[in-house]
Amino acid sequence: MKVGFVGVGSMGRPMLERVAAAGHDVSFFARRENVRRDLEAAGIATGAPTPAALAADREVLVLCVFNDQQVFELCEGESGLIASLPPGATLIIHTTGSPDTAPRLAEAGRPRKVHVLDAAFSGGPADAAAGRITLLVGGEPEVLETVRPVLSSYCDPIVSVGTLGDGQRVKLVNNALFGAHVALVAEAERIARDLGLDPVQALDAISHCSGDSYALGTVRAAGSSARLQEAAGRYIAKDIATARNLATAAGTDLGLLATAADTVARPADQPQPAATPAAAPAVPPSVQALWDIEQIKQLKARYFRYLDLKDWAGFRGLFTDDCVHHLPTESETIIQSNEEYFGSTIPMLEHAFTTHHGHMPEITLTSDTEAEGIWAMFDYVQIDSPQGTIALKGYGHYIETYRKDPDGHWRISSKRNERLRVDHLPQP
């Protein structure tokens, strides 16, 4: 079948690779030039210049983007996917979001006989690469059977759960339960530590006991619940918020699932809600603490300067060896290691004009060698490419963690740029 993909990041790419390996005619659209080049250079699939051009001759189009807003931006309008797909084609929505999204798009596609499947999934990139994603499908059974040869290349099992929107409903309940499980594993870590145990060894032992669970295995694979929260906290938070809204609209609530899940779904930068003033910092005020905070400010100042002046040798030295880079939500890729981040960012920005500003830092020392920080940010980015010039202004926050290495220097150990607003500017 002729299959198109929009969203070829950490989840979408292994799905695409499995579909191509199964012998289907696969093409894709990627907003980032380096993503398109990488896939085409690997000979996996051919990139299209626009989503509309991609959709024009596709029998199946798989959508795997971050949220409902991106789904609507891509699907609706005169040049959207619904208007561009040929009659009889099927749009498969993998994005976790509102149960109302798929019915709304199905209604828009009905006059043109464009079908829609609500195809929520459970699993991660490794599951997609191994062909073992669990798919929760809402929609007409005959439409599912038509596209099953595509879906079965990366999904097993494929579970029909009802009508359009029901896939999302089951997925959101599942995610709320998973978030609660992760929170309970974090509590188990804390109790183990308080009892004088090594939490890692304790969880390893529990994995062979009745307390084992998928969530415990996920935490162990990440290294700790804190590491899992760094990597996936914002996605758990998004899903918990959506599930809570769904429950409220239905006249119910998440009950104990929300009580437990909130402790892990809340981003690390957001404090526990409280009626009283925030608790004192973990490290009491001292000359050393003030000095460490000042060194972290200087570290971030060098980050902005090295990035804008393209001092890549200096820039590389600002991060711990195991730094986790969380890319903006509009990016197709979610998380990168240092080498992946440098390998994609440096070529993209080498000849670009950039200006980055950070303001009003909130820095909290959590131990003698660990810290967290939030910076209000503004950036201007102008990238010239063969496809034209892209210019934008972004406004939001940097959310980071820091570690003092054995050499006494503070470095960035995780980084997330959350733009609250992006203004796309006319080409200069």
Side-chain angles (χ1 to χ4, degrees), residues 208-231:
H208 299 285
C209 303
S210 58
D212 190 24
S213 68
Y214 181 85
L216 187 143
T218 304
V219 169
R220 291 177 61 229
S224 68
S225 58
R227 277 290 186 181
L228 179 62
Q229 185 176 359
E230 284 183 8

Side-chain angles (χ1 to χ4, degrees), residues 144-301:
L144 172 58
E145 291 309 310
T146 299
V147 300
R148 186 179 289 273
V150 174
L151 296 175
S152 61
S153 62
Y154 58 92
C155 300
D156 185 19
I158 299 172
V159 184
S160 179
V161 296
T163 61
L164 284 172
D166 287 345
Q168 293 296 336
R169 293 183 179 94
V170 175
K171 169 72 179 287
L172 291 169
V173 173
N174 173 77
N175 286 3
L177 183 59
F178 175 74
H181 283 175
V182 171
L184 293 175
V185 174
E187 278 296 279
E189 285 180 317
R190 179 189 64 78
I191 294 168
R193 190 178 297 109
D194 290 348
L195 292 175
L197 299 171
D198 179 337
V200 174
Q201 290 183 351
L203 294 188
D204 285 348
I206 291 169
S207 71
H208 299 285
C209 303
S210 58
D212 190 24
S213 68
Y214 181 85
L216 187 143
T218 304
V219 169
R220 291 177 61 229
S224 68
S225 58
R227 277 290 186 181
L228 179 62
Q229 185 176 359
E230 284 183 8
R234 65 171 175 151
Y235 301 100
I236 297 175
K238 175 179 78 81
D239 293 345
I240 294 297
T242 304
R244 180 181 283 108
N245 293 338
L246 173 64
T248 300
T252 185
D253 58 66
L254 297 183
L256 290 177
L257 290 184
T259 302
D262 277 348
T263 64
V264 70
R266 184 178 299 108
D269 53 279
Q270 293 184 9
Q272 295 281 346
T276 57
V283 178
S286 67
V287 172
Q288 181 62 50
L290 295 174
W291 173 252
D292 285 333
I293 289 173
E294 179 60 27
Q295 292 305 299
I296 292 171
K297 291 179 181 178
Q298 294 291 323
L299 167 68
K300 192 62 180 178

Side-chain angles (χ1 to χ4, degrees), residues 4-29:
F5 274 81
V6 178
V8 286
S10 60
M11 284 302 302
R13 175 161 179 165
M15 292 176 179
L16 179 152
E17 291 174 345
R18 295 278 305 192
V19 173
H24 297 282
D25 176 356
V26 182
S27 57
F28 67 93
F29 169 76

